[in-house]
Amino acid sequence: IGLCFMGEAASGSPTGAAFPSYLFKVSLDYKYAPNGLDTAWMLVMASRYDAARSTTDTLKIMELPLVQTGSYRSVEMIVPLSDLSDTVLLALFPSNDFPGKSTPGTLRDGSRLWVDNIRVDQISATNNAGALAFEISPNPAIQDIWVKDLIPGSRLVVYAADGRRMMEARTTADNLHLGLESFAPGSYYMMVTDQNKTGIKPFIIQK
């Protein structure tokens, strides 16, 4: 089992202060050599400190299977957190089981997991002075949307609420039309990046 904490002081010790944003980008490179049909897992969890009870509550946010690969593969997820969370926890399990798994797996000896370039970046979810501004219309949407006030050449990525990357595009104008007929109803996040600025907005698909 490998663990990685990120808190206000990167100590893994929660305090009463919350993170200033509620969206994070988690990324890493991995290589996995399983024993048989084994599967590795990455868990993203958050901790929040209850000052009244002097206790720490841990919430599992997302779980991602890491499949067999002979060379390093990159994964990237957008992780939504409660605005009361103050520590992000990444847990890596090299076999097909972990505490709290909905369907218990079978532990195997001999599976090998290599991980490199772990990053947990805070992303502002509001259009403050350091964020990239853009508009999504209509929101909620049925099957297509317009993204307005873009900077031509910026990178646009759409994520599902569970962190899956759904689509990616490079903008060529200040307005972009996206057809989302294949998207299931639910909540999504759009991230737009231009040079060193990033903006994120949530949107909803209703059908």
Side-chain angles (χ1 to χ4, degrees):
I1 299 173
L3 299 176
C4 174
F5 290 93
M6 189 185 102
E8 293 104 323
S11 64
S13 299
T15 70
F19 279 123
S21 65
Y22 67 85
L23 285 174
F24 290 76
K25 182 169 71 174
V26 177
S27 59
L28 57 80
D29 300 330
Y30 81 93
K31 183 170 66 172
Y32 184 51
N35 177 15
L37 299 177
D38 210 358
T39 303
W41 290 87
M42 179 174 73
L43 269 63
V44 181
M45 295 175 282
S47 294
R48 55 189 178 197
Y49 180 68
D50 188 332
R53 295 184 296 137
S54 297
T55 58
T56 299
D57 298 320
T58 300
L59 174 66
K60 183 176 71 175
I61 302 169
M62 190 177 300
E63 55 189 52
L64 178 72
L66 304 177
V67 298
Q68 178 178 0
T69 173
S71 58
Y72 276 93
R73 177 181 297 180
S74 298
V75 293
E76 178 182 294
M77 298 182 296
I78 294 297
V79 180
L81 296 184
S82 163
D83 58 3
L84 298 178
S85 301
D86 55 18
T87 299
V88 180
L89 167 65
L90 270 64
L92 297 164
F93 297 86
S95 195
N96 191 28
D97 201 16
F98 54 83
K101 191 170 186 290
S102 55
T103 304
T106 301
L107 289 174
R108 296 175 183 268
D109 293 328
S111 294
R112 294 177 293 172
L113 175 65
W114 296 264
V115 179
D116 199 3
N117 299 323
I118 298 175
R119 290 182 58 91
V120 181
D121 297 313
Q122 293 190 60
I123 300 175
S124 175
T126 59
N127 284 317
N128 55 31
L132 199 64
F134 64 95
E135 296 297 329
I136 299 175
S137 178
N139 188 12
I142 297 177
Q143 62 181 12
D144 59 352
I145 58 174
W146 281 94
V147 189
K148 303 177 180 180
D149 301 328
L150 293 166
I151 298 174
S154 55
R155 176 174 175 254
L156 181 152
V157 184
V158 175
Y159 294 90
D162 61 4
R164 288 175 295 129
R165 181 160 50 183
M166 304 297 295
M167 68 178 301
E168 181 175 341
R170 183 70 66 173
T171 63
T172 58
D174 55 0
N175 292 332
L176 180 65
H177 177 259
L178 296 177
L180 307 178
E181 295 88 350
S182 62
F183 283 37
S187 298
Y188 298 86
Y189 294 96
M190 181 177 296
M191 179 173 70
V192 178
T193 303
D194 178 68
Q195 296 182 356
N196 295 325
K197 285 191 174 183
T198 297
I200 286 190
K201 283 184 177 290
F203 67 96
I204 296 173
I205 297 293
Q206 295 179 339
K207 294 184 179 180

